[in-house]
Amino acid sequence: MTETAKKRPMLITISGPSGTGKDAVINALLAQDPMLRRGVTANTRDPRPGEVNGVHYHFLTKEKFAEIEANGGFLEVEKSNYGGNWYGTLRSVVEELFDEGIDLICDITYKGVAQIQQTMPERHFRIMLLPPNRERLEQRLTGRNPDLADEGRKRLEQMLPDLEHLHNPNWVFQHIIDLKGSSYKDYDAVFINDVLDHTVAEVAKVIMNERGRRGE
Ligand code: ADP
Ligand code: 5GP
């Protein structure tokens, strides 16, 4: 089997359990890497306080989402995520930045990752971010914003029955609801987000290496 020729620009996806630090890592990378831009995805939920349409997400009605989907406007869609809301990666957002020669980074679910891997494997680089342990995931989920503490707790309950085995990667991939059905081999790089600065430095290094591997 021949390996697909890897091309730039690339679409970097970052997945992992809710609260593991994906957003924090993405924001830190964006602040230091001029060749990287956030791939703003679409969803049908209400914006949270502080969220800006077009910056954090493209907030769409279900009608508009369905229309774009019917016209082939999404690279992937996720409709079985939390809260009955729909999420999707807009083809137009990705194509626009690719035309400018810019790499994109998107926080999406592993099912979305699998879809993108089907449609554009040569452009895709898959990162998985895992929390160091249950306590730290709990703290991050409930502590990130007091307004979201209840939602964080709900997400944690959905990820249960048992997060005690977070140190066991095989267990993690078999049981955590966000990841169930995927495995290590479904990602190009897997990181444990312990100390944020260290994680960001490691991820940045891997992205630089990948750019080098793909050439200009
Ligand atoms: P996600 O996007 O994966 O749901 P966030 O990036 O929103 O997670 O992180 C959840 C909370 O944990 C935020 O308050 C964030 O600042 C914090 N956080 C992220 N990474 C770390 C880390 N390595 N150490 C401590 N706190 C972290
Ligand atoms: P939230 O509602 O908290 O903003 O997002 C919940 C989760 O939805 C995110 O952590 C992310 O993994 C996922 N998500 C956001 N946008 C997309 C998307 O376009 N496609 C997919 N598959 N998942 C997404």
Side-chain angles (χ1 to χ4, degrees), residues 14-19 22 39-43 45 48 51 56-57 59 65 74 76-79 81-82 85-90 106-113 115-116 144 151 155 178:
I14 182 161
S15 317
S18 188
K22 300 179 294 289
V40 181
T41 61
N43 76 30
R45 69 165 170 72
R48 298 187 184 121
E51 283 184 332
H56 299 95
Y57 278 112
F59 294 100
F65 191 109
F74 286 112
E76 58 80 32
V77 295
E78 168 71 87
K79 293 185 175 174
N81 209 356
Y82 304 101
N85 298 305
W86 300 346
Y87 293 78
T89 305
L90 288 160
C106 297
D107 162 8
I108 69 174
T109 59
Y110 86 85
K111 283 188 200 151
V113 169
Q115 289 175 59
I116 288 178
R144 61 181 159 185
E151 193 181 319
R155 286 202 170 171
D178 287 11

Side-chain angles (χ1 to χ4, degrees), residues 16-25 27 107 129 132 136 139-141 143-145 155 193-197 199:
S18 188
T20 197
K22 300 179 294 289
D23 209 41
V25 169
N27 286 333
D107 162 8
L129 198 63
R136 231 90 70 74
Q139 280 165 12
R140 290 176 196 173
L141 263 173
R144 61 181 159 185
N145 176 343
R155 286 202 170 171
N193 180 22
D194 190 349
V195 178
L196 183 59
D197 289 353
T199 309

Side-chain angles (χ1 to χ4, degrees), residues 167-186:
H167 60 279
N168 175 350
N170 289 325
W171 188 94
V172 164
F173 280 103
Q174 281 162 22
H175 292 86
I176 290 191
I177 201 154
D178 287 11
L179 313 179
K180 226 171 186 165
S182 74
S183 79
Y184 264 126
K185 68 176 168 37
D186 297 318

